[in-house]
Amino acid sequence: AQRVTQPEKLLSVFKGAPVELKCNYSYSGSPELFWYVQYSRQRLQLLLRHISRESIKGFTADLNKGETSFHLKKPFAQEEDSAMYYCALPSGTYKYIFGTGTRLKVLA
Amino acid sequence: NAGVTQTPKFQVLKTGQSMTLQCAQDMNHEYMSWYRQDPGMGLRLIHYSVGAGITDQGEVPNGYNVSRSTTEDFPLRLLSAAPSQTSVYFCASSSPTSGGAGDTQYFGPGTRLTVL
């Protein structure tokens, strides 16, 4: 069965420290994975998708098929990165599976 | 473009009451979905639609109905509200680029529902 796992509910880091938000998936075939972000009191929005291979707001994510992971990384965390982050995977056509989310807190 | 809009923003219901959460999008997207967001459980798909007149169940459809009479609107109906339906509800839309899978979803601002 297709599944997305985000093992950390909460991740706290100090400003300027590196950040890694973990996402593991279970999928048969070549997955296309997404990271969505929800800032406080705002709607969810796309942060990045692996197919575009872009760096958005300093975040990157590499698809590792061997480890079935799509971890989100940023070398130097900023306070404005504090938010809820969701990893997502298409499930068949038209549907998506979201992970349980990781709340990132960047401490001053 | 307003994108995806949802009304109301907040709602308090008593057990057994019914109500409709409204969702509209002005991007001419074919696909629309309803999710509920609960602490520790992430987003779970309630119902989705691939076009006007076509709807299907998601992961947690019980207690909810949907219809899609137009491309723009996708209302979610709670038939008889229960405390277990206390949640934040998000509507989302997307447009197919290649077969439907892997399209960016655009979310509404959410409706926070409390059932007493």
Side-chain angles (χ1 to χ4, degrees):
Chain A
Q2 293 150 345
R3 188 167 58 247
V4 175
T5 303
Q6 293 181 252
E8 302 143 328
K9 286 187 178 180
L10 173 66
L11 182 64
S12 296
V13 301
F14 285 101
K15 177 182 173 182
V19 174
E20 182 179 71
L21 300 169
K22 292 184 168 55
C23 172
N24 290 93
Y25 66 89
S26 173
Y27 187 87
S28 56
S30 295
E32 173 157 9
L33 286 141
F34 298 75
W35 277 100
Y36 283 83
V37 61
Q38 186 181 26
Y39 300 104
S40 179
R41 302 183 187 279
Q42 294 187 26
R43 66 186 71 194
L44 278 89
Q45 57 187 283
L46 178 70
L47 180 62
L48 58 81
R49 54 193 296 180
H50 100 271
I51 196 171
S52 63
R53 305 187 70 81
E54 292 179 300
S55 172
I56 307 294
K57 298 186 178 184
F59 284 97
T60 58
D62 291 319
L63 181 63
N64 186 322
K65 292 184 179 180
E67 296 182 358
T68 60
S69 68
F70 189 57
H71 302 329
L72 184 68
K73 299 177 183 179
K74 184 170 183 176
F76 307 104
Q78 299 174 329
E79 288 182 74
E80 54 264 35
D81 295 329
S82 295
M84 193 76 175
Y85 292 80
Y86 290 96
C87 185
L89 171 73
S91 170
T93 309
Y94 320 125
K95 296 192 292 183
Y96 295 78
I97 295 174
F98 284 81
T100 51
T102 298
R103 181 169 298 281
L104 175 65
K105 284 190 177 180
V106 181
L107 309 170
Chain B
N1 284 356
V4 181
T5 58
Q6 291 182 237
T7 56
K9 289 187 178 181
F10 302 94
Q11 184 69 50
V12 178
L13 293 177
K14 294 181 180 178
T15 297
Q17 287 184 315
S18 62
M19 79 159 295
T20 299
L21 307 185
Q22 301 291 344
C23 173
Q25 52 92 9
D26 61 0
M27 298 175 283
N28 202 32
H29 284 171
E30 291 184 34
Y31 308 148
M32 296 187 74
S33 307
W34 275 103
Y35 295 88
R36 58 178 291 173
Q37 182 186 42
D38 301 290
M41 304 194 74
L43 277 79
R44 292 180 292 169
L45 182 65
I46 304 172
H47 285 285
Y48 66 100
S49 169
V50 302
I54 306 170
T55 64
D56 206 346
Q57 297 181 348
E59 181 185 354
V60 287
N62 292 342
Y64 307 95
N65 271 358
V66 291
S67 60
R68 185 97 180 268
S69 56
T70 67
T71 299
E72 294 78 20
D73 300 300
F74 191 43
L76 178 73
R77 297 183 186 83
L78 278 72
L79 308 172
S80 178
S84 60
Q85 294 179 302
T86 294
S87 186
V88 181
Y89 292 85
F90 288 100
C91 180
S93 73
S94 63
S95 184
T97 51
S98 55
D103 303 306
T104 300
Q105 294 204 75
Y106 295 85
F107 284 85
T111 294
R112 188 174 294 273
L113 176 68
T114 301
V115 182
L116 304 175

